[in-house]
Amino acid sequence: LSGTMTGTSDFNTVQLSNSGTKTFSANASTSALTIASGVTVSAPTQLSVSTLTNSGTLTAPSSYLYVSGSYTNSGTFTAGSGTTTFSGTSAQTLSGTMTGSSNKFNHLEFSGSGTKSFGSNSASTTNFFIDSTSGAVTAPSTLLSIAGHYNNSGDFTDNSGTIYFSGASAQTLSGTMIGASDDFASTTFLGAGTKTLSANASTTHFTIDSGSGAVVAPTLLSISRNYSNSGDFTDNSGTIYFSGAS
């Protein structure tokens, strides 16, 4: 697929079916993209879609994949080194398989005023950034694994789920991480990289695994339930509130 496929020359609905490899050799935009089982798609440098339904094999853009509607993956999604941005101004849902080496995200960003929800679908990513323009992002009720940096400039709803900060290299947690709209439910630190909380944070449970690099506390850390440390915890001259009512 070549030539001009953006702007006034974009597509409405695209269905890629049968079998074989379909290659976008230029940037493209479409309202809805459906990839059937057995189809392999090589995306261009930049791809913009409203609704993305993948049952085949999709190699993501090397630069940006913009999704403004729902995302469903029951096939194989290879993120590569690119960024996936959920940018809708209406509510968006992320569903299907979003974990494992063949289906995780690389750099995940949220923007646009619509809410974004993982529901009960576990997800893995390297970086996880919420822009100040984004509607509230609701985490999986199961597991969200982040191997890189975390930054929240908007609203993050923990959904009673667990977050693994699992990087083998240094990780930084920044932005807003306190308050009912932005705190964590259960945080577990694992992976050899150091983990630095660069802003005040609140969580229900706080666990440092024996395989984790040192976890560096912020100025204020509030823990309402259980604390468990099997690794290294650097207090950073900060204050910890153990604030549970039960």
Side-chain angles (χ1 to χ4, degrees), residues 74-120:
S74 60
T76 299
F77 174 81
T78 303
S81 60
T83 297
T84 302
T85 300
F86 290 94
S87 55
T89 55
S90 299
Q92 297 184 257
T93 58
L94 290 68
S95 61
T97 306
M98 295 176 284
T99 60
S101 59
S102 298
N103 291 294
K104 66 182 181 179
F105 299 105
N106 177 47
H107 184 80
L108 194 54
E109 292 186 349
F110 301 91
S111 63
S113 57
T115 58
K116 283 79 174 162
S117 177
F118 288 88
S120 61

Side-chain angles (χ1 to χ4, degrees), residues 119 137-144 150 155-163 179-186 202-204:
V137 177
T138 301
S141 60
T142 46
L143 176 64
L144 172 62
Y150 173 92
D155 288 326
F156 175 81
T157 303
D158 61 50
N159 200 21
S160 300
T162 297
I163 298 183
S181 299
D182 296 293
D183 62 356
F184 302 116
S186 180
S202 299
T203 185
T204 304

Side-chain angles (χ1 to χ4, degrees), residues 49-231:
V49 302
S50 176
T51 300
L52 175 57
T53 304
N54 176 42
S55 301
T57 299
L58 171 62
T59 299
S62 59
S63 180
Y64 284 94
L65 170 62
Y66 292 101
V67 182
S68 60
S70 61
Y71 172 92
T72 304
N73 177 43
S74 60
T76 299
F77 174 81
T78 303
S81 60
T83 297
T84 302
T85 300
F86 290 94
S87 55
T89 55
S90 299
Q92 297 184 257
T93 58
L94 290 68
S95 61
T97 306
M98 295 176 284
T99 60
S101 59
S102 298
N103 291 294
K104 66 182 181 179
F105 299 105
N106 177 47
H107 184 80
L108 194 54
E109 292 186 349
F110 301 91
S111 63
S113 57
T115 58
K116 283 79 174 162
S117 177
F118 288 88
S120 61
N121 301 277
S122 296
S124 299
T125 184
T126 303
N127 301 310
F128 189 97
F129 288 1
I130 303 174
D131 189 77
S132 60
T133 64
S134 178
V137 177
T138 301
S141 60
T142 46
L143 176 64
L144 172 62
S145 183
I146 301 172
H149 302 305
Y150 173 92
N151 179 267
N152 176 23
S153 298
D155 288 326
F156 175 81
T157 303
D158 61 50
N159 200 21
S160 300
T162 297
I163 298 183
Y164 284 172
F165 291 101
S166 56
S169 300
Q171 294 183 259
T172 300
L173 288 66
S174 60
T176 306
M177 296 181 285
I178 58 174
S181 299
D182 296 293
D183 62 356
F184 302 116
S186 180
T187 52
T188 298
F189 300 91
L190 60 164
T194 58
K195 282 77 172 160
T196 301
L197 287 80
S198 63
N200 294 343
S202 299
T203 185
T204 304
H205 302 287
F206 189 96
T207 302
I208 303 174
D209 186 79
S210 60
S212 176
V215 177
V216 181
T219 302
L220 176 63
L221 174 63
S222 181
I223 303 171
S224 62
R225 292 293 298 275
N226 299 324
Y227 171 93
S228 175
N229 177 23
S230 298

